[in-house]
Amino acid sequence: SDGAKKIFVSFLQLAALASTMNIPWPEGYFELFKIQSMVSSVGEEYIDIRCTLSEPMSIAQIQYIKTLGYALTPLVLVLLSVVGWCVCGRGYPTEKRNAMRTGTIVLVLYFVWPAITSSILQLWKCHDYGDGVGSVFLIDPETKCTDSTHLLWRNLLGWPCVVVYILGLPTAALLALYRYRNQLDSALTQVRFGMLYDGFSRDNYMHEFWVALRKLLIIYIGIFSDKLQVLLAIGVVGMLLVHTVMVQPFKTRSLTILE
């Protein structure tokens, strides 16, 4: 059941990422993507400051502040998890409380990683029109990617987030799994990191890397590819599903079929 739950969450996250593509989806599809994003990750509905502004602000400035909000979200969630278990988990033994606190942190970071990745990479969503126009920030065509303000946000916020979140969180997860590779059947290890390897066989306990890679490539295609987005996305998903069929990483055949 844990493996099925994780497959279901990954499906919702991957499907919601389809909204990042430059495709004229029917309006009903956008509503579906919003619901999937709200259920499986931190969507635009949770971080949208436009309705709180008393004065008009450029689209680029709004995007910068939203990106900052996404960057601060993991820190806030981790802090709330720590405080919550310190205050409300006093009835548990210390070792179990610490394990459940770690498990909560892993869970919330697992949920927010795709949304954070998508938001951060959009700082590089530029197009060079040439003919004296230069590189334009596509989210706000009135802003150039060579403007000092845009470069400041991209260098001081974007690059650190790429290192810490987009690359750092998956790397930290793999290192944690490798460290506990001989204790994967331990109850406390399952509480801590079960979200990362539930449903996988012990020989393929790091298969979540390929799941994360699939999400990252779909995000990259949606943001940086101008043409053939659908074909590229289908190709990525198809190749990684073929890899899944060949490796057979799940404990049971039914989970493989579900994936």
Side-chain angles (χ1 to χ4, degrees):
S1 61
D2 288 334
K5 174 185 64 180
K6 189 169 65 169
I7 290 174
F8 182 65
V9 171
S10 293
F11 161 73
L12 290 177
Q13 290 181 337
L14 191 68
L17 293 175
S19 62
T20 63
M21 297 185 181
N22 186 25
I23 298 173
W25 300 106
E27 186 62 29
Y29 278 50
F30 277 115
E31 296 301 319
L32 176 62
F33 294 150
K34 287 181 180 179
I35 294 173
Q36 291 173 330
S37 179
M38 290 175 65
V39 171
S40 62
S41 187
V42 177
E44 296 286 334
E45 296 75 19
Y46 294 111
I47 302 179
D48 196 340
I49 64 170
R50 287 173 295 181
C51 58
T52 66
L53 297 176
S54 58
E55 297 181 2
M57 184 180 293
S58 70
I59 298 175
Q61 289 177 310
I62 293 176
Q63 183 65 28
Y64 299 149
I65 296 175
K66 286 172 61 177
T67 304
L68 178 60
Y70 274 108
L72 295 176
T73 297
L75 302 178
V76 173
L77 292 175
V78 169
L79 179 61
L80 291 176
S81 301
V82 172
V83 172
W85 280 108
C86 289
V87 174
C88 304
R90 295 177 180 177
Y92 293 95
T94 301
E95 190 176 16
K96 185 175 182 179
R97 182 174 70 245
N98 293 339
M100 296 178 77
R101 180 184 61 203
T102 302
T104 302
I105 293 173
V106 170
L107 177 65
V108 296
L109 293 180
Y110 183 90
F111 272 90
V112 302
W113 184 78
I116 292 173
T117 300
S118 177
S119 178
I120 295 300
L121 290 182
Q122 287 189 35
L123 291 176
W124 281 268
K125 191 172 184 179
C126 303
H127 184 77
D128 190 355
Y129 287 94
D131 298 330
V133 177
S135 182
V136 174
F137 188 35
L138 292 181
I139 295 178
D140 182 5
E142 295 183 358
T143 301
K144 289 188 177 183
C145 290
T146 54
D147 288 349
S148 59
T149 301
H150 183 81
L151 292 176
L152 186 67
W153 279 95
R154 192 164 68 182
N155 292 333
L156 295 185
L157 179 64
W159 282 115
C161 287
V162 169
V163 174
V164 175
Y165 294 143
I166 300 178
L167 300 178
L169 289 181
T171 302
L174 294 179
L175 291 176
L177 288 178
Y178 182 78
R179 177 183 177 186
Y180 288 90
R181 64 189 182 280
N182 297 322
Q183 306 173 37
L184 296 179
D185 294 322
S186 167
L188 291 180
T189 302
Q190 289 179 338
V191 170
R192 290 187 184 101
F193 306 112
M195 190 66 192
L196 301 176
Y197 67 89
D198 280 338
F200 297 138
S201 65
R202 292 299 171 259
D203 293 334
N204 295 281
Y205 66 95
M206 286 191 176
H207 187 75
E208 187 63 31
F209 165 79
W210 298 101
V211 178
L213 179 63
R214 180 171 59 192
K215 298 171 189 176
L216 180 59
L217 290 177
I218 293 298
I219 293 171
Y220 187 89
I221 291 171
I223 293 177
F224 296 108
S225 176
D226 294 329
K227 301 178 181 179
L228 303 177
Q229 285 184 327
V230 174
L231 291 178
L232 290 173
I234 292 176
V236 165
V237 173
M239 286 189 295
L240 291 176
L241 285 180
V242 168
H243 173 263
T244 301
V245 172
M246 295 176 63
V247 174
Q248 295 287 321
F250 294 97
K251 290 181 177 179
T252 64
R253 178 173 172 78
S254 60
L255 287 178
T256 302
I257 294 174
L258 181 62
E259 173 76 349

